Amino acid sequence: MIRLEAITLAYPTRHGDVVAVRDLSLDVKRGEFAAVVGPSGCGKSTLMKLVTGLVKPTKGRVVVDNHTVNGPLKIAGMAFQNANMLPWRSVLDNVLLPLEIVEPFRSQFRQKRASYVERAEALLTSVGLSGFSHRYPWEMSGGMQQRASLCRALIHEPALLMLDEPFAALDAFTREELWCVLRDMWQRLQFTVVLVTHDLREAAFLADHIHVMSARPGRVIKTKHVAFEKPRDLDVCYTPPFVDLVHELRQDIAEVRTS
Amino acid sequence: MTLTIDRLAPWIFTLGLFAIWEAACRLFNIDQFILPAPSVIVEAMVRYYKPLLRNGFVTLWTTLAGFGLAVSFGLALGLLVGWSRTIYRGLYPVMIGFNSIPKVAVVPILVVWFGIGEVPAIITAFLISFFPIVVNVATGLATIEPEMEDVLRALGANKLDIMLKVGIPRAMPYFFGSLKIAITLAFVGSVVSETIASNAGLGFLMTQAGSNFQMPLVFAGLMALAIEGIAMYAVFAALERRMTGWAVRSSQSAAG
C-alpha cells in the first residue's frame, strides 16, 4: 500500500537547509496497522506529509497504491492531536465535510444527503456519540471532539488513515477508551493505518508493525513486528511480553536520543 | 441583583456624566458660549429640531453610502489579499501608506474633482472606513489552522474549496467585528468632509452655527452625531452577535 524509497527531505530556513529525514524507507501493506515512534523532532510529522503528498521529497520516491505520489493524495483521512473541528458547524456537519469535497460523493451530495447523514449517524454511534450529532464541537469535551474527528477522517471510507498523535492531548482513561474505539473501527473496516505517536504503549497495543525512527535527520532504524493476537484486549498491556516489548522500544529510543 | 445593575450601568453612567456636567456649568457659572449646560443643549435640540433632523439625515445617508462602498470594496479586497501571500506582500505597503494619509488632506482634492456637496462626503467616509475591513477579513483568511488545511488538502480540496469551507466562514467574525469600527470611522469621514466643503449635513450645520456664535446649536449637532453613531454601532454589534454567535460562545466554552 505505502512504500517510501530512500526518501530525503530538506527544507530551507533562515539558518540554512535543514534535513528533516534522510534515507527514510518504509513499507506498509494494505490493511496493516503501522505505528511510527521516535524521539521528538525526528520527522514523524514530516513522514505524514510525505505519505499524503502534502510535501514533495527532495530525493527518493513515495509510492501509494502502486502509484508514485506527485501531489495531495485525495483518498487519505487524517486526524491530529488537535481535533480541528469547525466551530460554526454542528458535529454532524463537521463529519460530513469530507463528503462535500471528495468525489464521487461531492457531486451527489445534494441528492444523497439523507443517506450520507444516516452513514454519519451510524459512524457517530459506533464511537459512542449517538445523540450528539446536532451539538456544536465547543459544547463537547476534548475526548468527544477527538471521537468526532476520527469519524470525520473515516466518513468517506478512505483506504488510508493517517493519525498524528491523535490521543496525545487526552487523559489516560479517555485515551485507552479511544484506543479501543480505533481498534474496533479498524477491525471492522480494514483500512490501512499509519499512526505517528510518542506513546509506546499505544503503538504496541494497536499496531501490527512498529517502526522506530532515529533522531533528526530521521530514518527508520528498526521495524518490530507485534505478534499479539488480534483483536487485542486492554489486559494485554499488563502481560510480561507486552511490558518487555515496550521496554525494548524504550531502550531503542533512548539510544538514538543519546547518539 | 448584579444582573439588573449590569444592565442599568450604561444608563447610570451616562446620566451621571450629564448630571456632573450640568452641575459644573451652574456651580462655576460657565459662560454658555464656552460650554453650554446639557439643559441648554436639549433646549436647542428641541428648538432647532427641524434643521437638525434634515441635516442629520443627510449625514446619515452619506455615511451609510460611504460605509456601504467600504463594505463591498473592503470585503472584496480582503478576500483577495487573504487569498494569496504574493498579493498580500505586494499590496500591504501600499495600503499602509494609503491608510496613514490624513483623510482631511484628501477632501480638497475631492472637492476639485466632484465639487462641493455630498459626493466628497461619501468618498471620504468610504476612504476612511474600508481599511479595518480589509485588514480583518485578510487576517481571518490568513490564520487558517495549517492542520485544517492539511486535512482538506489530503482529501483533494483545492484552494477555492478551502476558502469556501473554512476560510470565509472563519473570517466572518473578524468581518462583522470590523463593521463596528468601520461605521464609527465612516461618521468621522463624512463629518470632516461636510465641515470643510458642503452645504448640508451636521458638519456643515455645526460650522455655520459656530460662525454665528450659536454654541448651544453646535453642541446640539454634536449630540445628534453621537446619537447616530451609537445607534449605528448598536445595529452592527447586534448583527455581529446574530451572524457569528458561535465565535463568542466557542471562546467562552470550557471545551474550547
Side-chain angles (χ1 to χ4, degrees), chain B residues 128-214:
Chain B
I128 205 169
S129 64
F130 84 89
F131 191 74
I133 301 177
V134 175
V135 171
N136 273 280
V137 172
T139 308
L141 290 182
T143 51
I144 298 176
E145 294 82 355
E147 290 181 343
M148 194 63 228
E149 218 172 322
D150 284 352
V151 167
L152 292 176
R153 282 177 58 208
L155 293 170
N158 56 32
K159 186 92 185 168
L160 182 67
D161 290 330
I162 294 173
M163 282 295 157
L164 288 177
K165 301 288 179 196
V166 186
I168 293 174
R170 186 169 194 296
M172 283 303 109
Y174 294 85
F175 170 66
F176 284 105
S178 73
L179 292 188
K180 291 184 301 189
I181 304 163
I183 187 70
T184 40
L185 285 174
F187 271 108
V188 173
S190 58
V191 172
V192 159
S193 174
E194 285 167 0
T195 311
I196 297 175
S198 178
N199 35 35
L202 287 172
F204 168 75
L205 175 102
M206 284 157 62
T207 326
Q208 291 285 302
S211 46
N212 294 336
F213 304 105
Q214 288 175 291

Side-chain angles (χ1 to χ4, degrees), chain A residues 99-118:
Chain A
L99 300 185
E100 295 172 27
I101 290 167
V102 181
E103 293 290 2
F105 309 104
R106 179 184 190 140
S107 37
Q108 305 167 352
F109 192 79
R110 289 244 168 83
Q111 299 108 289
K112 294 203 177 168
R113 191 166 196 281
S115 72
Y116 292 165
V117 168
E118 215 168 278

Side-chain angles (χ1 to χ4, degrees), chain A residues 163-181:
Chain A
L163 301 170
D164 190 351
E165 305 197 359
F167 311 130
L170 304 175
D171 65 89
F173 291 111
T174 312
R175 195 180 309 155
E176 290 187 352
E177 239 172 76
L178 285 184
W179 290 356
C180 296
V181 166

Side-chain angles (χ1 to χ4, degrees), chain A residues 70-238:
Chain A
N70 282 322
L73 270 191
K74 306 190 175 189
I75 56 151
M78 287 179 112
F80 295 87
Q81 178 173 342
N82 187 336
N84 282 310
M85 296 274 111
L86 302 176
W88 56 89
R89 284 173 170 241
S90 68
V91 171
L92 178 68
D93 287 332
N94 265 292
V95 173
L96 287 174
L97 179 67
L99 300 185
E100 295 172 27
I101 290 167
V102 181
E103 293 290 2
F105 309 104
R106 179 184 190 140
S107 37
Q108 305 167 352
F109 192 79
R110 289 244 168 83
Q111 299 108 289
K112 294 203 177 168
R113 191 166 196 281
S115 72
Y116 292 165
V117 168
E118 215 168 278
R119 186 200 283 199
E121 297 273 14
L123 202 55
L124 284 166
T125 305
S126 75
V127 299
L129 284 181
S130 63
F132 285 93
S133 55
H134 293 287
R135 297 263 192 113
Y136 283 89
W138 33 271
E139 295 173 316
M140 311 204 303
S141 68
M144 290 160 88
Q145 289 190 34
Q146 203 54 261
R147 286 164 199 251
S149 170
L150 278 179
C151 291
R152 183 180 62 192
L154 290 170
I155 183 78
H156 55 300
E157 296 182 353
L160 176 61
L161 178 65
M162 304 292 296
L163 301 170
D164 190 351
E165 305 197 359
F167 311 130
L170 304 175
D171 65 89
F173 291 111
T174 312
R175 195 180 309 155
E176 290 187 352
E177 239 172 76
L178 285 184
W179 290 356
C180 296
V181 166
L182 179 58
R183 172 198 66 195
D184 295 342
M185 289 180 118
W186 177 62
Q187 292 283 352
R188 195 158 54 87
L189 301 171
Q190 295 293 320
F191 42 82
T192 310
V193 189
V194 176
L195 168 71
V196 165
T197 181
H198 56 228
D199 185 340
L200 302 177
R201 292 177 65 240
E202 182 172 299
F205 174 67
L206 287 166
D208 293 319
H209 285 97
I210 300 176
H211 306 273
V212 181
M213 282 181 78
S214 68
R216 173 176 290 178
R219 60 193 176 83
V220 175
I221 48 161
K222 185 173 186 179
T223 296
K224 186 87 192 147
H225 178 61
V226 185
F228 307 118
E229 207 176 303
K230 295 182 291 185
R232 293 167 196 157
D233 192 80
L234 272 178
D235 289 338
V236 81
C237 304
Y238 302 98

